[in-house]
Amino acid sequence: MNLKQSTPRVGLFGCAALLIAACSSEPEGNSGAALTAAMQKSSPDMPAEIAECFGRLAEDELSANGRALLIAGMQQDEAGAKALREQMNFTDIAAAGMFMVSAGGRCGVPEE
């Protein structure tokens, strides 16, 4: 068996993300629970039910990279967000943006 051919290539960003997830007590990687945690951390005044709703919807509606992109934005991780955008297709990037526009109303965020 040729390991070079059968081993998937994981970029530097992917390796760093795996290490962070393995060493952190935060929910893993780019799950809906991780998005909920990132949202609660970036907006501590947000009610937990709303953040949890965002996490559940994101888990159902977004790709793993779409969730990771939103998490990077909430964590103000410009380099991580840029790396994700470079590997994502336009449809997934647009879906993540539209998700943030529409999920608030579906999760009970009051309009300003």
Side-chain angles (χ1 to χ4, degrees):
M1 179 173 166
N2 185 342
L3 287 178
K4 202 173 213 178
Q5 290 177 342
S6 64
T7 305
R9 294 183 184 199
V10 178
L12 182 59
F13 181 77
C15 290
L18 288 172
L19 286 174
I20 290 168
C23 297
S24 173
S25 62
E26 297 285 319
E28 286 190 37
N30 53 17
S31 66
L35 186 118
T36 298
M39 183 165 273
Q40 289 174 318
K41 192 178 249 185
S42 69
S43 302
D45 295 335
M46 178 177 290
E49 307 83 50
I50 292 175
E52 290 165 1
C53 177
F54 269 82
R56 281 192 309 275
L57 290 177
E59 188 73 40
D60 292 340
E61 298 176 12
L62 296 176
S63 67
N65 280 343
R67 290 188 303 272
L69 181 63
L70 295 183
I71 292 167
M74 289 175 201
Q75 295 173 340
Q76 298 180 343
D77 178 5
E78 297 293 328
K82 182 178 187 271
L84 282 162
R85 284 190 306 271
E86 289 173 353
Q87 66 182 355
M88 292 172 70
N89 64 43
F90 176 78
T91 304
D92 283 344
I93 294 169
M98 289 305 299
F99 175 84
M100 289 306 291
V101 170
S102 69
R106 294 183 289 153
C107 289
V109 175
E111 291 185 29
E112 293 182 17

